[in-house]
């Protein structure tokens, strides 16, 4: 893995590895363990990651001790060479050569997964770097380190720093990259609306391959946008987007998921949603903790979308439309209606669900009256003060 690249940021640290660790730690993802172990082992070997390997238990990485022994000497040798080049630059060359050596050291620590040394070295490199572009690149590396080690504070602090640097003079490419970083972090904290906005802004100009591969980025874009957008925007911004259309040819699950909600094919939606949960949500280090919330909210949206078209519906018709049992519908609605999530009434005598949509015009009228009362009270108080 190159430490420098004129066109793309290097994928340092390798964010496939925490994904593999997460899978290996999850017993319910045992069917993915073999592939995850291969990815983890290959990543550690390719980047000679002795410090990172040392942090893993042998239950996840049985080869840990051998890998640490094998690569520790190699790490020390590379770092010694880098330190010598920095010392030589300090004695015989200019500030730019010294700064380059410091950045190289910082990126090497990040590459091998030494968290504390990475953060210290990158912070020093930022202080010694003059150009705004290079400062942004190093700050983005700190964000990736935060994601690599699941350090929420490190991610948040450096997103804020990167925003400031971008406003001070970041170019178009770095602005776009930062949007992807913000979007991925937003998705990981359940802010799907912000994630959708950021991802859609960069869908046609995506370059952040150091953070996430392109196909996964498009998949995440569809997932968060189905949650966040209304039907009109979902159609125009996502389903008809050339990047999504191209992916749908090879990912029929994504096609079925997005199209079924728009086309009101609720049986296909529920089937696709279950597969989305098992294929993309639960195995994701970013989204797994939101999988139950996500699937529940999509079901609620589908229920509400269908109920908008009817005054009343037989429970058996509802169950058939969604491809589930009547008992499932009864259980779902019995929880959602009292919680105020669905505007309808479940009549168990007639086995019918009756829509009970709030009158938006009457609500607006009541709001105006209430605001008017507040204003009149304020005027009366002011009048008494003036008198």
């Amino acid at each position: 893995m190159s430490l420098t690249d004129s066109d793309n940021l290097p994928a340092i640290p390798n964010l496939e590895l925490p994904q593999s660790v997460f899978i290996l730690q999850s017993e319910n993802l045992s069917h993915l363990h073999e592939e995850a172990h291969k990815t983890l082992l290959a990543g550690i070997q390719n980047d000679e990651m002795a410090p990172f390997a040392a942090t893993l238990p042998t239950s996840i990485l049985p080869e840990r001790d051998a890998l640490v022994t094998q690569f520790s000497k190699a790490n020390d040798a590379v770092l010694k060479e880098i330190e010598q080049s920095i010392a030589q630059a300090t004695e015989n060359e200019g500030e730019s050569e010294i700064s380059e050596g410091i950045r190289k050291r910082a990126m090497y620590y990040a590459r091998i997964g030494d968290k504390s040394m990475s953060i210290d070295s990158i912070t020093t490199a930022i202080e010694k770097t003059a150009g705004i572009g290079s400062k942004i690149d190093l700050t983005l590396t700190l964000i990736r380190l935060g994601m690599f080690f699941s350090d929420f504070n490190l991610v948040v602090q450096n997103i804020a720093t990167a925003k400031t640097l971008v406003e001070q003079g970041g170019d178009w490419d770095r602005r776009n990259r930062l949007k992807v970083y913000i979007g991925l972090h937003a998705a990981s904290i359940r802010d799907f609306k912000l994630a959708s906005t950021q991802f859609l802004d960069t869908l046609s100009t995506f370059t952040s391959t150091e953070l996430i591969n392109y196909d996964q980025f498009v998949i995440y874009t569809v997932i968060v946008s189905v949650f966040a957008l209304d039907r009109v925007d979902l159609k125009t911004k996502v389903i008809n987007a050339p990047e999504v259309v191209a992916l749908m040819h090879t990912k029929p699950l994504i096609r079925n998921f997005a199209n079924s909600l728009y086309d009101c094919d609720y049986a296909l939606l529920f089937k696709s949603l279950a597969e989305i949960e098992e294929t993309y949500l639960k195995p994701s280090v970013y989204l797994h903790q939101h999988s139950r919330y996500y699937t529940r909210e999509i079901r609620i949206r589908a229920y509400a979308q269908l109920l908008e078209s009817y005054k009343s519906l037989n429970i058996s018709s509802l169950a058939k439309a969604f491809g589930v049992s009547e008992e499932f519908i009864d259980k779902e609605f019995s929880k959602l209606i009292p919680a105020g999530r669905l505007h309808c009434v479940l009549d168990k005598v007639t086995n019918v669900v009756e829509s009970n949509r709030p009158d938006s015009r009457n609500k607006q009228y009541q709001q105006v009256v209430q605001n008017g009362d507040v204003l009149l009270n304020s005027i009366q108080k002011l009048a008494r003060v003036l008198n």
Side-chain angles (χ1 to χ4, degrees):
M1 186 180 296
S2 174
L3 292 176
T4 59
D5 192 313
S6 59
D7 299 319
N8 297 301
L9 293 179
I12 297 174
N14 182 355
L15 289 171
E16 290 184 354
L17 304 191
Q19 173 66 52
S20 297
V21 170
F22 165 71
I23 291 174
L24 290 168
Q25 289 174 330
S26 305
E27 293 182 5
N28 59 343
L29 298 175
S30 57
H31 60 290
L32 301 175
H33 281 189
E34 182 178 355
E35 187 62 31
H37 179 263
K38 288 180 181 179
T39 301
L40 178 62
L41 184 59
I44 290 173
Q45 290 174 332
N46 289 342
D47 288 336
E48 300 182 335
M49 302 178 73
F52 175 62
T55 66
L56 300 175
T58 54
S59 58
I60 289 177
L61 187 66
E63 307 89 346
R64 182 195 64 187
D65 294 339
L67 291 170
V68 171
T69 301
Q70 178 182 356
F71 296 128
S72 291
K73 292 182 180 179
N75 293 163
D76 291 341
V78 172
L79 287 167
K80 182 178 179 181
E81 183 180 339
I82 293 173
E83 293 292 351
Q84 288 174 347
S85 69
I86 294 173
Q88 184 177 354
T90 302
E91 292 180 6
N92 305 317
E93 300 180 44
E95 290 296 325
S96 61
E97 289 79 11
I98 297 172
S99 178
E100 177 61 29
I102 292 173
R103 286 199 299 272
K104 187 175 181 181
R105 178 179 61 192
M107 295 304 290
Y108 186 75
Y109 275 123
R111 172 181 169 178
I112 63 177
D114 189 326
K115 181 182 178 181
S116 60
M117 292 302 297
S118 297
I119 295 172
D120 291 344
S121 298
I122 294 173
T123 301
T124 301
I126 292 173
E127 293 171 354
K128 298 292 184 180
T129 298
I132 289 290
S134 296
K135 286 179 182 289
I136 294 172
D137 292 344
L138 289 166
T139 304
L140 293 179
T141 302
L142 283 174
I143 298 173
R144 295 197 302 278
L145 272 172
M147 292 180 174
F148 187 90
F149 290 105
S150 299
D151 188 331
F152 176 82
N153 290 330
L154 187 63
V155 172
V156 172
Q157 290 168 5
N158 285 285
I159 283 178
T161 301
K163 286 180 179 178
T164 301
L165 290 171
V166 164
E167 291 304 316
Q168 290 175 357
D171 58 23
W172 173 85
D173 178 67
R174 290 183 173 91
R175 286 176 183 270
N176 268 9
R177 286 181 189 274
L178 180 57
K179 287 182 179 181
V180 179
Y181 283 67
I182 294 170
L184 187 58
H185 173 63
S188 73
I189 60 172
R190 200 184 286 184
D191 190 346
F192 297 131
K193 185 174 181 62
L194 175 60
S196 175
T197 300
Q198 299 298 307
F199 285 167
L200 289 173
D201 281 351
T202 58
L203 186 58
S204 60
T205 55
F206 174 82
T207 57
S208 303
T209 52
E210 76 283 357
L211 183 68
I212 185 174
N213 70 60
Y214 180 70
D215 282 357
Q216 192 66 54
F217 168 72
V218 178
I219 290 168
Y220 280 177
T221 301
V222 173
I223 288 173
V224 298
S225 297
V226 167
F227 184 98
L229 301 183
D230 59 32
R231 287 184 73 238
V232 174
D233 286 340
L234 181 63
K235 179 68 171 178
T236 57
K237 295 181 179 181
V238 178
I239 296 174
N240 288 346
E243 298 79 12
V244 176
V245 171
L247 181 78
M248 286 179 173
H249 289 301
T250 58
K251 303 287 184 182
L253 175 56
I254 295 299
R255 179 184 65 241
N256 291 341
F257 180 54
N259 285 331
S260 59
L261 181 61
Y262 180 79
D263 295 335
C264 304
D265 186 346
Y266 300 114
L268 179 58
L269 172 65
F270 271 35
K271 181 181 178 182
S272 302
L273 180 60
E275 293 182 39
I276 287 286
E277 182 180 19
E278 294 298 324
T279 306
Y280 297 117
L281 299 182
K282 287 183 177 180
S284 170
V285 69
Y286 304 109
L287 301 178
H288 71 278
Q289 66 269 39
H290 311 308
S291 61
R292 291 183 63 185
Y293 169 81
Y294 182 91
T295 54
R296 182 180 70 248
E297 292 300 311
I298 295 297
R299 293 200 308 271
I300 292 172
R301 178 174 177 180
Y303 296 143
Q305 186 169 291
L306 179 60
L307 290 171
E308 283 179 1
S309 304
Y310 297 93
K311 180 63 178 176
S312 63
L313 273 172
N314 188 281
I315 289 182
S316 61
S317 299
L318 267 173
K320 183 177 180 181
F322 289 102
V324 296
S325 66
E326 292 184 29
E327 290 76 13
F328 181 87
I329 291 292
D330 181 70
K331 184 178 179 181
E332 284 267 277
F333 278 51
S334 296
K335 292 180 180 178
L336 297 174
I337 294 173
R341 301 306 309 278
L342 291 176
H343 300 294
C344 59
V345 176
L346 178 59
D347 189 336
K348 291 293 291 180
V349 176
T350 59
N351 219 30
V352 167
V353 173
E354 296 183 357
S355 295
N356 180 6
R357 293 187 296 276
D359 186 340
S360 59
R361 179 171 296 182
N362 184 58
K363 183 179 180 181
Q364 289 173 354
Y365 171 76
Q366 294 296 334
Q367 187 67 42
V368 169
V369 171
Q370 183 179 0
N371 291 340
D373 287 341
V374 173
L375 179 59
L376 286 174
N377 289 334
S378 299
I379 293 173
Q380 288 172 356
K381 290 179 181 178
L382 179 60
R384 285 195 296 270
V385 172
L386 293 175
N387 289 337

